[in-house]
Amino acid sequence: MSDYKIETKCIQSGYQPGNGEPRVLPIYQSTTFKYDSSDQMGRLFDLEESGYFYTRLQNPTNDAVAAKICDLEGGVAAMLTSSGQAASFYAIMNIVEAGDHIVCASALYGGTYNLYAHTIKKMGIDATFVDPDCTEEELDNAFRENTKAVFGETIANPALVVLDFEKFAKAAHSHGVPFIVDNTFATPINCRPFEWGADIVTHSTTKYMDGHASCVGGAIVDSGNFDWDAYADKFPGLTTPDETYHGIVYTKKFGKGAYITKATSQLMRDLGSIQAPQNAFLLNIGLETLHLRVQRHCENALNAAKYLEGHEKVAWVSSPSLPGDKYYDLAKKYMPNGTCGVITFGLKGGRDAAVRMMDSLKMIAIVTHVADARSCVLHPASHTHRQMNDQELKEAGVQPDLIRFSVGIENIEDIIADLSQALEQV
Ligand SMILES: *Cc1c(COP(=O)(O)O)cnc(C)c1O
């Protein structure tokens, strides 16, 4: 980890060119890498030596961008994935086997909910979803003998529930399992979950990190803090010999790098959800302005929330940055500098009014995305979460009338003018 401030890390971390080398991180647009001796190539395949040989496993462009994200989060090792979904999948699959179980905060991104509630269930992995506002005792009761991880989102998309890190970290650690946090919405600019007890962080880099809605991507960062050997029985994949690499034991051979090395050399090797180096290059350009954009997103979101809160046709507004919000105090504790640019609101006219207002917007577009430079809206009950029934929606913190508003970095006066004229149509 470098000693620079976070703004400097956004620009300087990950890639340091040597004398006469390109100033800007190059795109290594190559699937493969050349060696002079067959013996050396063999040592790479045995993980006896580190080096590049095939982009599905590692690529220098991707590694530089992963190193930057690692530094931003304050971790010890990181990897990029092809999408946020792949990051959420690998982060869990790296430490579970059929017959295992995980505990998740129920306020989750719709795709993550599907993945953990349905898809990994078919692979024999069970998930218990707990209300993020549950008591310590209720949380404790969700654990089983075979529980291997606890998962939650810093700020849930789209419920905007702020996760009580200390409560979840304490529960995870008292049961000898890692606490995994999806930090997509807060970004490391506003929150670094490792400082609050998280062991592993995941990202959909598709959102604020890229910030321009140009490439889908993900990342996994390891704090290096979880002691796998102390709970060796629970995590045989990390603590017993891997026969596919001549019996190496990841924790013995790679120490604090064990988790990411295993995810790269086993999961990426076998499942292949690699981020294209071209996308990693674009992601890196996004990261260079992350600190500036996140600040403006948050400022605009708070102003838009205050405007909506004062409007006669608006029934409710939710933003953890808004004084009086249910999660205001938790947000102040874990994210004193701001939360995210996404807010939600409902209209007095309910679901029909929501649809009518959205259709009347001129600049603010209806898109299945959040957290890029352009303001946009979405109606989760009829879009991202439409596969859920009303009970599941409620558990995920999504009311049927909820409009998710991702406030962009345009001039706030133009954003408010568009809201205003659309509300007049309702
Ligand atoms: C979008 C999103 C994901 C999934 O990421 P993709 O890059 O779309 O695969 C995961 N978690 C959160 C919080 C998200 O917003």
Side-chain angles (χ1 to χ4, degrees):
M1 198 184 2
S2 72
D3 293 332
Y4 290 131
K5 301 276 186 289
I6 197 119
E7 296 82 356
T8 310
K9 290 181 183 187
C10 282
I11 297 159
Q12 299 287 349
S13 291
Y15 174 66
Q16 283 88 33
N19 188 43
E21 288 180 359
R23 181 66 192 98
V24 172
L25 172 67
I27 307 173
Y28 285 82
Q29 193 68 47
S30 180
T31 59
T32 193
F33 301 82
K34 177 220 166 235
Y35 289 92
D36 290 337
S37 86
S38 153
D39 197 42
Q40 190 181 7
M41 181 78 102
R43 287 197 298 275
L44 294 177
F45 269 97
D46 283 351
L47 303 183
E48 282 305 323
E49 214 174 277
S50 70
Y52 297 100
F53 52 108
Y54 191 57
T55 286
R56 170 150 44 77
L57 285 123
Q58 278 188 293
N59 173 284
T61 308
N62 290 24
D63 280 1
V65 182
K68 176 179 281 188
I69 294 172
C70 187
D71 203 25
L72 288 170
E73 288 287 3
V76 297
M79 67 197 286
L80 299 186
T81 56
S82 55
S83 66
Q85 283 302 106
S88 304
F89 180 50
Y90 282 28
I92 294 293
M93 282 314 283
N94 203 32
I95 48 174
V96 298
E97 290 177 8
D100 285 344
H101 169 257
I102 60 172
V103 172
C104 304
S106 62
L108 285 181
Y109 172 67
T112 311
Y113 177 80
N114 273 341
L115 173 65
Y116 293 164
H118 303 295
T119 300
I120 66 171
K121 196 177 173 68
K122 293 176 194 156
M123 301 172 181
I125 297 133
D126 262 339
T128 298
F129 296 88
V130 294
D131 183 337
D133 301 328
C134 65
T135 64
E136 286 190 20
E137 199 185 345
E138 285 164 339
L139 184 51
D140 229 46
N141 289 340
F143 285 80
R144 302 181 193 162
E145 201 57 39
N146 56 345
T147 302
K148 298 296 170 71
V150 173
F151 186 94
E153 290 176 22
T154 305
I155 308 170
N157 172 11
L160 304 182
V161 169
V162 175
L163 195 65
D164 190 345
F165 287 126
E166 287 179 337
K167 180 176 73 184
F168 276 81
K170 187 175 156 202
H173 296 155
S174 73
H175 289 272
V177 302
F179 175 35
I180 306 177
V181 171
D182 179 337
N183 197 32
T184 298
F185 264 29
T187 82
I189 303 301
N190 283 340
C191 183
R192 287 163 306 281
F194 295 155
E195 294 170 6
W196 300 101
D199 300 291
I200 289 150
V201 159
T202 61
H203 278 281
S204 165
T205 62
T206 317
K207 314 294 166 53
Y208 291 116
M209 283 190 167
D210 167 48
H212 301 82
S214 59
C215 25
V216 174
I220 307 173
V221 189
D222 182 10
S223 67
N225 293 336
F226 192 81
D227 187 353
W228 308 105
D229 280 326
Y231 305 97
D233 292 352
K234 283 190 199 287
F235 305 104
L238 282 155
T239 59
T240 62
D242 179 354
E243 293 314 328
T244 69
Y245 283 111
H246 308 301
I248 63 159
V249 176
Y250 289 98
T251 50
K252 297 275 173 305
K253 190 156 178 72
F254 299 103
K256 285 185 181 299
Y259 176 89
I260 292 293
T261 304
K262 176 177 180 288
T264 304
S265 55
Q266 274 183 355
L267 296 182
M268 205 52 100
R269 177 195 63 188
D270 298 348
L271 302 172
S273 315
I274 186 76
Q275 183 163 139
Q278 176 99 36
N279 281 3
F281 172 85
L282 292 170
L283 168 58
N284 189 48
I285 293 179
L287 288 168
E288 289 181 358
T289 56
L290 182 66
H291 54 301
L292 296 173
R293 290 184 290 101
V294 163
Q295 198 180 10
R296 177 62 72 88
H297 278 292
C298 291
E299 198 181 294
N300 279 356
L302 186 56
N303 282 324
K306 285 180 176 161
Y307 166 78
L308 289 167
E309 205 178 30
H311 199 285
E312 54 175 13
K313 290 182 184 169
V314 175
W316 57 271
V317 182
S318 169
S319 157
S321 292
L322 209 53
D325 188 88
K326 187 176 174 193
Y327 297 100
Y328 183 77
D329 292 337
L330 278 180
K332 272 278 170 268
K333 175 177 174 181
Y334 297 123
M335 292 166 272
N337 298 327
T339 54
C340 67
V342 180
I343 64 176
T344 57
F345 64 98
L347 300 182
K348 287 182 182 155
R351 205 173 169 141
D352 293 344
V355 170
R356 184 160 174 82
M357 183 207 169
M358 287 172 57
D359 288 349
S360 305
L361 289 164
K362 292 190 171 123
M363 177 184 78
I364 302 166
I366 302 172
V367 302
T368 310
H369 198 246
V370 277
D372 73 80
R374 287 157 286 264
S375 289
C376 61
V377 287
L378 182 94
H379 185 222
S382 37
H383 305 140
T384 45
H385 288 59
R386 66 182 296 140
Q387 74 288 349
M388 288 188 178
N389 62 37
D390 276 6
Q391 182 60 26
E392 286 173 331
L393 278 175
K394 225 183 100 215
E395 279 164 16
V398 183
Q399 286 104 304
D401 68 337
L402 178 150
I403 299 174
R404 185 180 70 181
F405 180 18
S406 176
V407 186
I409 55 176
E410 302 94 344
N411 187 297
I412 186 63
E413 289 176 23
D414 292 327
I415 294 170
I416 288 176
D418 198 20
L419 292 174
S420 165
Q421 67 78 23
L423 281 165
E424 269 169 36
Q425 309 305 312
V426 175

